Amino acid sequence: MSNSFLTKNALSHSLKELMEHTSLNKITVKQLVDHCGLNRQTFYYHFQDIFDLLGWIYKTEAVESIAQYRSYSTWSDGFYRIFCYIERNKTFCCNTLNSLGRNHLDAYLYDVTNDLIMGVINELSAEMEVSQEDKHFIANFYTLAFTGLVIQWMRDGMKEHPDHIIEKLSVLIEGNFLKALLKYENKPL
């Protein structure tokens, strides 16, 4: 593991710890570097500002969370892992949701969900003639629906169990990816 990654990781752990009891909007770079024993110059060598670090945290953790769940048979497991990540990092994610850094949470949810859905769409359409544009349109539709569902779940206090949400989602989605792809197959221009 590189020194750069270790430094970024130390900064990310400190930010998450500070966000346990302080609003993201009130955390300063000085507080952050003091908390993890680094200096401001080191912080600015790696990140432009705290929001840049926040984005790095979500991007880094997103890669780990669902990489192996991009198929039709495992998509629900991938969605479940997204819910689990948010539950494990509840304060961090809710703090982000209610801050100026909200766009980083939105981007995290969009990126991991879209990556998962595109994997499913590409798998299902392997033998079909569907344009990339149409595949992206279908993936974008389902991605926005899912991310909206997750944000609402967070706003409602994360009371409903993820298994129950995934079960309801499965009823809506099962077969609909393929149905949509079939409608777009060989669509006249």
Side-chain angles (χ1 to χ4, degrees):
M1 216 178 282
S2 72
N3 283 341
S4 177
F5 183 80
L6 292 173
T7 302
K8 289 177 178 181
N9 214 25
L11 289 164
S12 73
H13 285 304
S14 285
L15 181 61
K16 284 177 132 182
E17 286 177 15
L18 288 170
M19 286 175 68
E20 286 291 321
H21 51 80
T22 306
S23 166
L24 175 65
N25 298 336
K26 295 184 180 187
I27 297 172
T28 65
V29 171
K30 180 171 177 13
Q31 288 172 307
L32 180 63
V33 296
D34 286 350
H35 185 266
C36 67
L38 296 171
N39 62 48
R40 290 173 63 87
Q41 184 178 357
T42 300
F43 176 87
Y44 287 113
Y45 177 77
H46 296 285
F47 300 104
Q48 292 179 338
D49 56 25
I50 287 181
F51 297 111
D52 191 25
L53 169 58
L54 185 69
W56 183 84
I57 293 169
Y58 281 116
K59 284 179 191 148
T60 303
E61 294 178 356
V63 170
E64 299 169 5
S65 66
I66 64 149
Q68 69 261 27
Y69 300 103
R70 298 177 61 215
S71 72
Y72 186 70
S73 61
T74 60
W75 69 264
S76 60
D77 295 329
F79 281 153
Y80 183 75
R81 289 184 61 83
I82 294 168
F83 279 111
C84 289
Y85 172 81
I86 292 169
E87 283 185 322
R88 273 192 321 275
N89 295 279
K90 182 177 182 174
T91 304
F92 174 69
C93 291
C94 288
N95 193 332
T96 304
L97 179 66
N98 298 314
S99 74
L100 297 173
R102 158 80 190 269
N103 62 325
H104 292 289
L105 176 63
D106 291 341
Y108 161 75
L109 289 172
Y110 186 91
D111 290 346
V112 296
T113 303
N114 193 264
D115 187 52
L116 189 143
I117 291 174
M118 275 308 296
V120 172
I121 296 222
N122 286 329
E123 177 188 327
L124 291 174
S125 66
E127 303 296 320
M128 302 171 89
E129 289 186 34
V130 179
S131 73
Q132 280 303 115
E133 181 182 340
D134 288 338
K135 289 179 191 179
H136 285 290
F137 181 82
I138 294 166
N140 187 53
F141 174 81
Y142 284 105
T143 299
L144 292 172
F146 180 76
T147 56
L149 184 74
V150 172
I151 294 294
Q152 192 59 48
W153 172 71
M154 290 174 69
R155 283 199 171 124
D156 291 343
M158 300 165 56
K159 294 173 187 143
E160 191 169 5
H161 195 276
D163 282 333
H164 190 241
I165 296 169
I166 298 289
E167 201 174 285
K168 289 196 269 185
L169 196 56
S170 290
V171 171
L172 290 173
I173 291 180
E174 288 295 327
N176 285 327
F177 287 135
L178 188 56
K179 195 183 283 184
L181 287 164
L182 287 168
K183 288 187 180 202
Y184 281 101
E185 187 176 28
N186 298 318
K187 179 184 82 175
L189 299 175

